């Protein structure tokens, strides 16, 4: 019984680590987009990389695209944060159950 819960704890811990990595990647992408938006607002010419080539593009189009991507990343970040909180709660509850079960076994 306790060994099953320990296995569940390990699985929850792996899921938390995966979510943490996803969260980090999204935060990095968001920072890159913020930086690109700031640069885009302070320049006259704008370029977009498509595949292996760089193409001239209108500043307004790029601003809209980057803003849309940023909003999408922010939504994903919120969802991942909510998932992370739920997993942490489950982890803590299961951890208490395991500790309680181990104490009972020792008696």
């Amino acid at each position: 019984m306790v060994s099953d819960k320990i296995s569940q704890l390990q699985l929850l811990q792996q899921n938390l680590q995966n979510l943490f990595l996803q969260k980090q990647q999204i935060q990095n992408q968001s920072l890159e987009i913020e930086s690109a938006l700031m640069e885009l607002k302070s320049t006259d010419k704008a370029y977009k990389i498509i595949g292996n080539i760089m193409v001239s593009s209108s500043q307004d189009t790029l601003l809209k695209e980057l803003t849309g991507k940023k909003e999408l990343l922010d939504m994903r970040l919120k969802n991942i944060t909510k998932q992370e909180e739920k997993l942490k709660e489950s982890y803590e509850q299961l951890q208490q159950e395991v500790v309680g079960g181990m104490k009972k076994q020792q008696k």
Side-chain angles (χ1 to χ4, degrees):
M1 184 73 177
V2 174
S3 62
D4 291 340
K5 290 187 179 186
I6 290 174
S7 297
Q8 289 176 348
L9 267 177
Q10 290 173 338
L11 185 62
L12 283 174
Q13 189 174 20
Q14 288 175 350
N15 289 341
L16 277 168
Q17 287 173 344
N18 289 338
L19 278 179
F20 178 75
L21 291 175
Q22 287 179 17
K23 188 175 177 180
Q24 246 182 346
Q25 290 173 344
I26 290 172
Q27 287 171 333
N28 288 339
Q29 290 174 357
S30 184
L31 286 174
E32 286 178 19
I33 289 176
E34 282 180 33
S35 175
L37 284 169
M38 288 173 47
E39 282 295 320
L40 194 55
K41 290 176 184 175
S42 66
T43 187
D44 294 334
K45 291 187 176 184
Y47 297 91
K48 179 179 180 177
I49 296 176
I50 301 174
N52 293 330
I53 59 173
M54 189 181 312
V55 189
S56 180
S57 182
S58 76
Q59 195 172 10
D60 291 337
T61 303
L62 287 178
L63 280 171
K64 287 178 186 175
E65 283 181 24
L66 289 175
T67 304
K69 285 182 182 180
K70 175 93 171 80
E71 289 172 0
L72 182 65
L73 286 174
D74 289 343
M75 284 186 353
R76 287 181 61 200
L77 190 60
K78 271 186 185 178
N79 288 337
I80 285 179
T81 303
K82 286 179 186 177
Q83 286 179 337
E84 187 179 33
E85 289 171 4
K86 287 179 183 177
L87 276 177
K88 281 181 182 178
E89 288 174 12
S90 298
Y91 182 85
E92 289 169 2
Q93 181 181 0
L94 194 58
Q95 190 175 30
Q96 289 174 356
E97 290 176 17
V98 168
V99 170
M102 292 175 79
K103 285 181 180 178
K104 285 181 183 177
Q105 284 182 350
Q106 289 178 352
K107 289 182 180 180

